[in-house]
Amino acid sequence: MNATVKIFALALASNFQPQQQLASAFAKIAQWGDVEFSPIYEIPCRDGVGADYWNCACLLKSTVNAEQLMEQLKQLEQEAGRIRPSHQISLDVDLIAWGEDLQKMQFNPKKLPLALDVKIPLYELWPHPDFLTSSQHFPVIQVEAIF
């Protein structure tokens, strides 16, 4: 019997050693299934206190369930040295939504409403109408070495 493949929409962010942290996270997440990453955007800290963040998103197709994935994401943040609370974020990875089809995804209620720094990169992979944003533009980080 084949395990069901689910699609997981993840949001990733870092404002402390972001190139190193995201490269490490990308490599680890790629081991969990088929993955597609968005471009990386440089977006100011939501509360205006910390350094600008590198934000991106990914769609992961995997046979793990949402609970297993949440544990893997927590472990990934711990390995990156994530400290809570802090404005120096080595790695923040959030499970935004999951499902078997992009048309019928279940949103994580703990992450709603979605912040702009989640919507912008996620729209690149999943053009959901709720992710449309105003004409705010943020620079895309050109980091070929990560991919």
Side-chain angles (χ1 to χ4, degrees):
M1 184 171 145
N2 290 339
T4 302
V5 173
K6 284 215 181 342
I7 301 168
F8 298 96
L10 306 177
L12 296 87
S14 176
N15 74 350
F16 178 68
Q17 300 175 328
Q19 183 169 351
Q20 171 190 333
Q21 298 294 350
L22 291 179
S24 178
F26 287 6
K28 187 68 136 184
I29 292 168
Q31 295 174 6
W32 300 342
D34 294 330
V35 67
E36 180 183 3
F37 293 96
S38 75
I40 300 169
Y41 291 86
E42 185 174 5
I43 301 176
C45 178
R46 289 180 196 171
D47 55 15
V49 175
D52 288 354
Y53 282 80
W54 286 19
N55 295 88
C56 62
C58 73
L59 294 179
L60 170 66
K61 294 179 182 174
S62 180
T63 56
V64 300
N65 64 43
E67 293 78 25
Q68 291 170 316
L69 184 63
M70 289 293 292
E71 286 305 310
Q72 289 174 293
L73 297 178
K74 286 179 190 173
Q75 183 176 351
L76 190 61
E77 287 183 348
Q78 286 178 337
E79 290 170 3
R82 174 75 192 263
I83 297 168
R84 295 175 191 267
S86 174
H87 288 287
Q88 183 173 291
I89 307 299
S90 53
L91 183 65
D92 181 24
V93 187
D94 293 325
L95 175 57
I96 302 302
W98 60 90
E100 294 177 28
D101 180 325
L102 284 179
Q103 309 308 315
K104 302 173 191 162
M105 298 285 275
Q106 175 181 336
F107 283 88
N108 184 345
K110 294 178 182 176
K111 301 301 172 189
L112 296 176
L114 295 178
L116 190 64
D117 54 51
V118 171
K119 290 180 181 182
I120 291 171
L122 199 50
Y123 187 80
E124 296 281 340
L125 303 172
W126 177 20
H128 190 283
D130 288 350
F131 304 158
L132 286 173
T133 62
S134 65
S135 59
Q136 288 183 285
H137 296 284
F138 298 98
V140 173
I141 305 291
Q142 300 299 324
V143 188
E144 289 78 18
I146 289 184
F147 300 102

